[in-house]
Amino acid sequence: GASGPVPTAGAMRTAGLLLARALLLGWALLHPVGCQQCHPTGPGTVLRFTDRHAEIRVPALHRVPSALDPLYGLVRRCLDLIQQNPLPTELLRAALNDPGSVRTSQVVQYELGYVVCAAVALLFTVAVPVAGMCFCYCRSRRRCGGRLRAHRRSLGCRRHCLLACLSLTSLVILVSVTCALVTSQRVKAQMEPGLAAVPTTLRTLRQHLANVPQGVQMVVDKFEVPRKQIISDLGGLSRSVGLSIHTQLKAMTYAALADLQDRAADLQTSLHHLQILDGTARALAAARAELGPALRERQRRVVALLDDPRCTSCASVLGRAQSLELGADYTKVPSVENVLKALAGLPRSDFAEMIRQGNGTFNSIPELAVEKMAQVLQELREELSRTAQRVQSIADGFPLPDYTRPASEALAEAEERSRPYLREAQRFERYRWIAGTVLCSIILLILACNVTGMALGAYGLSKREDPSDYECRGEAGAKFLLVGVGLAFLFSWLLILLVFATFLVGGNIQTLVCRNWVNQEIYKFIDTPGNLPPSMNLTQQLNLRRDSNLSATYRECKSGAGLWEVLQLDRSYDLDEHLKTPKYTADFQKRLGDFTAHLGQVRLLRSEGRQDLETFARSGLDEVDYGRFQEEMKNPVVQTSLPGLARNLEGLQKMQRNSTVAGRLGTEARALWQMQNSTVQSQEALVAKLGESVQFLSRLAPHLKERVKRTLATTASVEARLPVQAQQILRQEIGCFTRKELRYFTQYLNWVGQTLREDVASCQPLATALDNGRVILCDRIADPWNAFWFSLGCCTFFLIPNIIFAIRLTKHFRPIRNRLISTGSEETCPFHIPRVTALKL
């Protein structure tokens, strides 16, 4: 048989939509919703806790980089060379436990480097003033600092060499005295806040220990932060669960409802086209019966006319007229009466109302979830209040106030005892700064004399015409140099005494305290049993653990341990046990885990609707031979085209010479046009209408039973799966919610542990205070202190070459005696004759 009609574009789009809908429904049925993941955690789920305990912290101090760091390093290396002995453990033990047993020889042996330096300082203190007195005696005898006895050619070179040496020496002294002034001022600037930091730090530590209970209560009160967040989340839980169920199941449900709506539309549309098919076939059969006699009569008349001999050129059209007869016969097509009888009275159910009710029930799931979960949410809020009472046990069981009392008393005693020593140190520092400033000013005065003397002397030499001429500027330069020499002799012993005093204090602080503090030898000495007297047992005074010592406590505090971990608490408090999350979340988690609710009870297809679809599938619609209809529709209503034959007759009419024949041809042509317009066209319209119905039914019929069967199975499957999958989604959402809220508990408990260890009840301030003490004493005070005496010592020792070069240079600034005139007197001859070879200075 011939192939069916070509599908239209609309039919192809409809088929594509049906295929896409079927794929979506199949995916929704084959992929369970329980495998979906929890919603990702957003930035809003991180709890923020305000910290109001910062005022009792001990701020950590650090060494500040300075341009003087190379000088500090040089001084420390010099001190390491002077004092190479390690910490004198035995000597310190004897000094602390039995001071009378300490022998001077032991101290001298340990301080041998400082003893040597003391000998050098003593030698300098004696030697330089003695040398100064000798110089004064020689000067009074006119034997030192006088004039050159004779002029030589090498005097200019020697003079320039002395000028360079004295300038270089003065430059070194200038740099040294500048460093001494800077470091002295830095010591003064650091000493006062450094000494004030000692009682402040001790007082802060006591406040830290005293404020532990308030701090712990503050931390416990912060449970309000996660509690408010959880209550806020509980407020939106039920609707969120309902929306999640609706969102995850709507693809499956809407696809099933759309499929059911399509089957209902197929039933309505098929019934409509079956009625059209039956009525149109009957009408076409009746119209054919009426057209047949008229068409045969018209054929006879046209053939007779064309066969008339008077008709010119009519033979060419005669064959076409003879074939004028009926075409399609619709009495031969199959009847659809049985199908219509089977579908009589359908649909008995209102599919539109059924689908609307199912859709409304499904869309009401969020409101149903709110109603079902109201009771459990109220119970969870009450459980949070009970959890807050359990959290309060963290503060109620915190035992520190009873165990920190010894440490607080020890800190208060240390603060009180330190005040007299700190005042003495501050007073000594004031005297040191005044003496240092005065002596540095004297050194600057000596340098000023040197510079002025060299400038005047050099200027006087440049203006002198003869070496033996007297020149007041040169003489003044020589006197300035001698004034500087006198000041150096006069104050050098004070300089060396200040240098040695500050050196002895600062050097021992560096080598005995700072060096051993950095390598923690001091802690080891304190930890060794028997080194300290019983009255200085820090472990007992601070109530530290019996199995611990200062070094271990320092390391634990440095790493962030809590006070309860280093104090002697007899293991009575275990914070980790108090911070276990299940202790506070077990009941909350159990209530959420035990909650069940029946959601997703949606009825998509009632029994009468199911019966209608089953009747539709059994109606025999797919058994009708639609190919017979399509074959018959291929045949025209009339075998010969009436308009074509009419136009042929009209053409022959114009060719006739006989007017009678021409008139008859025109009459027959008009009759054919009238038959075409009145009868044939109406039958062709019925054929087109019949073709639309045949096309729809022929496309639907092969898949009818399969589609109805799939729709019924899908609807039944969705109705059965909706409650199960809704329960799975409910468990999944509650599980996600539970894990989210447990994270709030975990964040809070982790913050509690971190805050107690690092802030509220941390022993880190103790380690910080020790580190701050080392930074203040060693880095901020001892380093500039030692740099001060080192710089001042350089000035002092370089005064010796300064004196020598100044005295030697003095002779070059005075007029040279001429041996040819006078050798026994320093007075120049006023009537000497200038030599031609005299060097112009």
Side-chain angles (χ1 to χ4, degrees), residues 8 52 101 104 129 132-133 135 154 165 229 231 280 344 367 385 408 442 461 484 518 542 558 614 699 712 806 829:
T8 62
R52 297 178 300 178
S101 64
T104 306
M133 288 186 290
F135 174 74
S154 61
C165 292
Q229 182 64 46
I231 289 178
T280 304
E367 286 74 19
S385 299
S408 298
I442 292 174
L461 290 175
V518 172
L542 298 178
K558 189 78 172 175
E614 291 174 349
R699 187 173 65 249
L712 294 176
C829 181

Side-chain angles (χ1 to χ4, degrees), residues 1-172:
S3 61
V6 178
T8 62
M12 295 179 67
R13 282 195 300 272
T14 304
L17 290 174
L18 290 174
L19 178 60
R21 187 175 295 161
L23 292 175
L24 177 62
L25 181 59
W27 183 90
L29 291 173
L30 292 175
H31 290 77
V33 295
C35 64
Q36 297 187 10
Q37 300 298 321
C38 295
H39 303 296
T41 302
T45 59
V46 178
L47 300 180
R48 304 295 181 186
F49 302 96
T50 57
D51 186 3
R52 297 178 300 178
H53 206 63
E55 64 272 10
I56 60 172
R57 289 178 181 169
V58 178
L61 302 179
H62 302 283
R63 180 184 180 90
V64 180
S66 170
L68 296 173
D69 285 345
L71 177 60
Y72 297 161
L74 175 62
V75 175
R76 282 195 295 269
R77 286 191 291 272
C78 291
L79 288 174
D80 289 339
L81 290 176
I82 293 172
Q83 177 57 284
Q84 300 180 6
N85 297 323
L87 183 69
T89 305
E90 298 297 331
L91 184 60
L92 288 176
R93 181 189 297 118
L96 292 173
N97 291 276
D98 186 12
S101 64
V102 178
R103 297 191 302 273
T104 306
S105 59
Q106 293 177 315
V107 178
V108 171
Q109 183 179 358
Y110 177 76
E111 299 278 351
L112 184 60
Y114 295 101
V115 172
V116 173
C117 292
V120 173
L122 181 61
L123 179 62
F124 188 94
T125 304
V126 175
V128 175
V130 170
M133 288 186 290
C134 294
F135 174 74
C136 291
Y137 176 77
C138 292
R139 186 74 186 96
S140 65
R141 305 294 296 177
R142 297 182 180 271
R143 292 184 179 179
C144 297
R147 294 184 294 176
L148 295 175
R149 294 184 177 275
H151 173 74
R152 299 183 182 89
R153 293 183 179 274
S154 61
L155 287 179
C157 179
R158 187 181 303 173
R159 185 188 309 117
H160 288 101
C161 182
L162 290 173
L163 277 171
C165 292
L166 184 57
S167 300
L168 181 60
T169 305
S170 300
L171 180 62
V172 172

Side-chain angles (χ1 to χ4, degrees), residues 3 33 68 78 83 97 148 163 177 198 208 215 282 418 450 462 496 548 560 640 788 815 831:
S3 61
V33 295
L68 296 173
C78 291
Q83 177 57 284
N97 291 276
L148 295 175
L163 277 171
V177 76
V198 175
H208 174 70
R282 291 177 184 273
S418 65
N450 287 348
S462 66
I496 199 63
S548 181
T640 301
F788 165 72
F831 302 105

Side-chain angles (χ1 to χ4, degrees), residues 58-61 197-198 200-202 204-205 411 517 523 554 557-558 763-777:
V58 178
L61 302 179
V198 175
T200 301
T201 302
L202 295 175
T204 303
L205 292 176
L411 291 172
W517 200 340
Y523 296 146
Y554 171 77
C557 293
K558 189 78 172 175
C763 75
Q764 193 167 23
L766 301 177
T768 304
L770 290 175
D771 291 339
N772 288 352
R774 181 189 57 78
V775 171
I776 292 173
L777 178 63

Side-chain angles (χ1 to χ4, degrees), residues 395-407:
D396 296 341
F398 209 73
L400 279 184
D402 298 331
Y403 294 89
T404 56
R405 189 175 299 109

Side-chain angles (χ1 to χ4, degrees), residues 420-683:
Y421 298 103
L422 296 176
R423 285 194 294 267
E424 288 298 322
Q426 192 168 2
R427 187 168 61 88
F428 174 76
E429 164 57 22
R430 189 182 307 113
Y431 294 153
R432 182 211 61 82
W433 180 81
I434 294 173
T437 304
V438 171
L439 293 178
C440 288
S441 301
I442 292 174
I443 294 174
L444 291 175
L445 182 59
I446 294 172
L447 292 176
C449 290
N450 287 348
V451 172
T452 306
M454 287 188 291
L456 290 175
Y459 183 70
L461 290 175
S462 66
K463 296 299 182 179
R464 184 183 299 172
E465 298 294 334
D466 189 273
S468 59
D469 286 344
Y470 178 81
E471 219 288 319
C472 62
R473 285 181 290 258
E475 186 66 26
K479 289 180 179 180
F480 269 109
L481 290 178
L482 289 179
V483 170
V485 170
L487 291 174
F489 279 127
L490 185 61
F491 291 100
S492 59
W493 65 277
L494 289 176
L495 285 169
I496 199 63
L497 287 180
L498 180 62
V499 169
F500 179 73
T502 53
F503 158 73
L504 190 61
V505 174
N508 277 289
I509 289 176
Q510 173 62 36
T511 57
L512 189 62
V513 180
C514 295
R515 186 169 64 188
N516 295 291
W517 200 340
V518 172
N519 57 29
Q520 298 190 1
E521 288 295 327
I522 290 181
Y523 296 146
K524 295 177 183 177
F525 174 79
I526 295 174
D527 293 336
T528 303
N531 283 348
L532 296 179
S535 60
M536 299 177 62
N537 192 333
L538 296 180
T539 302
Q540 293 180 358
Q541 290 183 357
L542 298 178
N543 197 26
L544 302 180
R545 292 199 320 263
R546 293 190 182 94
D547 60 346
S548 181
N549 52 42
L550 187 61
S551 298
T553 302
Y554 171 77
R555 288 192 297 270
E556 292 179 17
C557 293
K558 189 78 172 175
S559 61
L563 285 170
W564 66 92
E565 295 174 322
V566 299
L567 295 181
Q568 183 62 41
L569 300 182
D570 299 327
R571 307 293 182 182
S572 62
Y573 188 80
D574 187 357
L575 180 64
D576 294 332
E577 183 66 28
H578 284 274
L579 296 181
K580 288 184 177 178
T581 305
K583 183 176 180 180
Y584 308 97
T585 61
D587 293 340
F588 185 88
Q589 193 172 359
K590 185 176 184 301
R591 288 184 183 275
L592 279 173
D594 293 343
F595 172 74
T596 57
H598 298 289
L599 304 174
Q601 300 287 349
V602 179
R603 188 72 179 273
L604 302 180
L605 182 62
R606 291 192 291 269
S607 58
E608 58 270 20
R610 183 178 296 274
Q611 291 175 4
D612 285 350
L613 292 181
E614 291 174 349
T615 302
F616 181 38
R618 294 193 305 266
S619 64
L621 182 67
D622 56 334
E623 298 175 0
V624 177
D625 187 3
Y626 299 102
R628 294 285 301 277
F629 285 94
Q630 294 170 348
E631 288 292 332
E632 204 62 40
M633 285 188 299
K634 291 180 180 179
N635 299 323
V637 176
V638 179
Q639 290 291 349
T640 301
S641 174
L642 293 181
L645 181 59
R647 282 191 290 271
N648 290 334
L649 294 180
E650 289 172 351
L652 291 174
Q653 180 185 3
K654 297 176 182 180
M655 298 171 59
Q656 303 301 317
R657 290 187 293 273
N658 189 321
S659 59
T660 302
V661 173
R664 291 176 59 189
L665 286 172
T667 301
E668 294 299 327
R670 287 191 294 275
L672 290 174
W673 279 112
Q674 184 180 2
M675 182 178 293
Q676 170 68 25
N677 295 331
S678 62
T679 304
V680 176
Q681 281 187 357
S682 62
Q683 291 188 32

